[in-house]
C-alpha cells in the first residue's frame, strides 16, 4: 500500500492510495462549487450540479447514465456547504473510460434549457421535504443563527431564490467549477502511472482560484420555532476545534465519551437513567477553519425543559474531566471505526479528499491510529478544562413557548 500526491499543471490536486484490491474508488471535491460560494441566488450551486447530469460530451442525459451503468459505476454526487462532491466506485478495467466521462461532465456539460424546469422542480421538492423532517429543519435554521458568514446557509437554497433562478443565471455559475483548489482522491487497485494517464482529460479543465469566506460566529442565542409536532426537537451548538488544531484528538476522544455508544454519558444519563428521550446524540458539524459540536434530543412537550437542562448539564460536566476507563473505551471505539472504515476504498477515498481539502495533506492511517493511542488522560482533561462546552446556541422546535 502506497500513498502519493501531486498538483497537476491546472491546479487540481491528485492523490492515490494504491492497494492490492479488485476495485477502485474516487472522490472529487470542487470547493468553488459549494453553497458557501453562492451569491444572492442561494441554491444556484445545487441547481447547477443537478443540471450537469442532463447531458455531456457526445451523450444526452439518458445515454450518459447508461454509459456509466454499463461500466458498473456506483456513484453519488451533491452539493454541501463547502464543496460539490462527486464519488464513484468501479472495477479497475473501467478506469480510463470512467474518468473520460467525468471529464466530459465537468468540461462539456450540455446544460439544456428544456431540462431546467425539471431540475428546479426536484430542488423545490427536496427543500419542501425539510418540513417533514423536523430535526433536520431545526439544525438547518440553527446553523443560520450560529454563523454570521455564509457557512450557515442551507445548501438546498431558499425557495424564493430557486423560483426566480433562470437558466442564464445558473449557467453563469459554471466559473465556480475550477480545478484550482479541487481535489481528486483515488484508492484501490491501480498504480500511479496508469492513474496519471487516465486523468489526462482533466488537464483541459481551467479556471481561477476562488476565495474561501472566513467562518464567523454570532453570539450564542436561543431559537424557538413554535409549531404543532409530535415531539419537541432540541438542538445545541458549541464552538469546537477542527482537524487542523493540535487538540483535535483530545476533543474527538471527549466527544466519544459523551456520545460514542450505549455506554456513553448522554445515552446513559439522558435516556437510560431518566427515560427522557428515545434519541440523543452529539456530533461534529464544523467547517474548514471553525470546529463545531452539535447535540440533539427529541422528547415530549411535557419533558423538554428537563431534557434541555439535563442535556446541557451532561455536556458541561465534561469540564470536570473523563475517567481512565471512559478514555480507554473511547480509544477502542475510535480505532475500531478507523479499521472498519479502512476496509472500504470508497470511505478511504472520501477521508483522503477531506484531509487534502482541510489540511492540505493526507493523514496516513498509521498516523491517525498513533495519535489516538498517544493522547493520554492528562491531555484530554487539560483540553476540557481549557475548553469547557458551555453557553451554547439553543434551538427548540415543537409545541414550546417563546422565551423558553
Amino acid at each position: 500500500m502506497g500513498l502519493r500526491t501531486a498538483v497537476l499543471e491546472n491546479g487540481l490536486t491528485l492523490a492515490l492510495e494504491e492497494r492490492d484490491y479488485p476495485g477502485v474508488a474516487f472522490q472529487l471535491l470542487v470547493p468553488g462549487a459549494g453553497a458557501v460560494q453562492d451569491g444572492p441566488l442561494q441554491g444556484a450551486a445545487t441547481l447547477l450540479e443537478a443540471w450537469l447530469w442532463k447531458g455531456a460530451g457526445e451523450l444526452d442525459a439518458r445515454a450518459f447514465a447508461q454509459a456509466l451503468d454499463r461500466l458498473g459505476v456506483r456513484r453519488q454526487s451533491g452539493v454541501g456547504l463547502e464543496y460539490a462532491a462527486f464519488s464513484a466506485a468501479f472495477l479497475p478495467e473501467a478506469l480510463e473510460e470512467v474518468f473520460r466521462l467525468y471529464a466530459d461532465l465537468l468540461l462539456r456539460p450540455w446544460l439544456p434549457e428544456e431540462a431546467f424546469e425539471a431540475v428546479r422542480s426536484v430542488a423545490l421538492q427536496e427543500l419542501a421535504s425539510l418540513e417533514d423532517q423536523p430535526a433536520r429543519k431545526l439544525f438547518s435554521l440553527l446553523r443560520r443563527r450560529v454563523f454570521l458568514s455564509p457557512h450557515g446557509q442551507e445548501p438546498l437554497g431558499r425557495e424564493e431564490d430557486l423560483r426566480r433562478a433562470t437558466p442564464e443565471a445558473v449557467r453563469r455559475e459554471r466559473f465556480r467549477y475550477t480545478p484550482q483548489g479541487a481535489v481528486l482522491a483515488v484508492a484501490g487497485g491501480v498504480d500511479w502511472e496508469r492513474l496519471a494517464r487516465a486523468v489526462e482529460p482533466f488537464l483541459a479543465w481551467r479556471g481561477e482560484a476562488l476565495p474561501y469566506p472566513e467562518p464567523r460566529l454570532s453570539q450564542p442565542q436561543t431559537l424557538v420555532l413554535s409549531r404543532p409536532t409530535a415531539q419537541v426537537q432540541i438542538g445545541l451548538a458549541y464552538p469546537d476545534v477542527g482537524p487542523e488544531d493540535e487538540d483535535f484528538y483530545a476533543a474527538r476522544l471527549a466527544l466519544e465519551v459523551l456520545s460514542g455508544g450505549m455506554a456513553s454519558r448522554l445515552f446513559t444519563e439522558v435516556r437510560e437513567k431518566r427515560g427522557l428521550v428515545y434519541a440523543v446524540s452529539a456530533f461534529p458539524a464544523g467547517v474548514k477553519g471553525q470546529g463545531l459540536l452539535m447535540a440533539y434530543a427529541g422528547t415530549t412537550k411535557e419533558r423538554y425543559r428537563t431534557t434541555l437542562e439535563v442535556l446541557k448539564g451532561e455536556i458541561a460536566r465534561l469540564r470536570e474531566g473523563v475517567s481512565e476507563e471512559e478514555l480507554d473505551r473511547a480509544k477502542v471505539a475510535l480505532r475500531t471505526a478507523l479499521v472498519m472504515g479502512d476496509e472500504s476504498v470508497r470511505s478511504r477515498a472520501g477521508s483522503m479528499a477531506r484531509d487534502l481539502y482541510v489540511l492540505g495533506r493526507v493523514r496516513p492511517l498509521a498516523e491517525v491510529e498513533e495519535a489516538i493511542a498517544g493522547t493520554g488522560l492528562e491531555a484530554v482533561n487539560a483540553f476540557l478544562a481549557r475548553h469547557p462546552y458551555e453557553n451554547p446556541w439553543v434551538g427548540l422546535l415543537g409545541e414550546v413557548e417563546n422565551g423558553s
Side-chain angles (χ1 to χ4, degrees), residues 123-153:
L124 284 167
Q125 290 177 59
E126 191 171 359
L127 183 63
S129 73
L130 288 182
E131 301 302 323
D132 299 325
Q133 305 171 72
R136 189 178 168 200
K137 175 78 174 182
L138 173 63
F139 280 104
S140 175
L141 295 175
L142 184 58
R143 287 189 71 94
R144 286 187 186 273
R145 290 294 184 94
V146 170
F147 285 100
L148 295 171
S149 53
H151 302 82
Q153 289 182 188

Side-chain angles (χ1 to χ4, degrees), residues 321-334:
V322 303
S323 69
E324 192 80 52
E325 180 185 354
E326 288 177 315
L327 182 60
D328 288 345
R329 192 165 58 237
K331 286 184 176 183
V332 170
L334 280 187

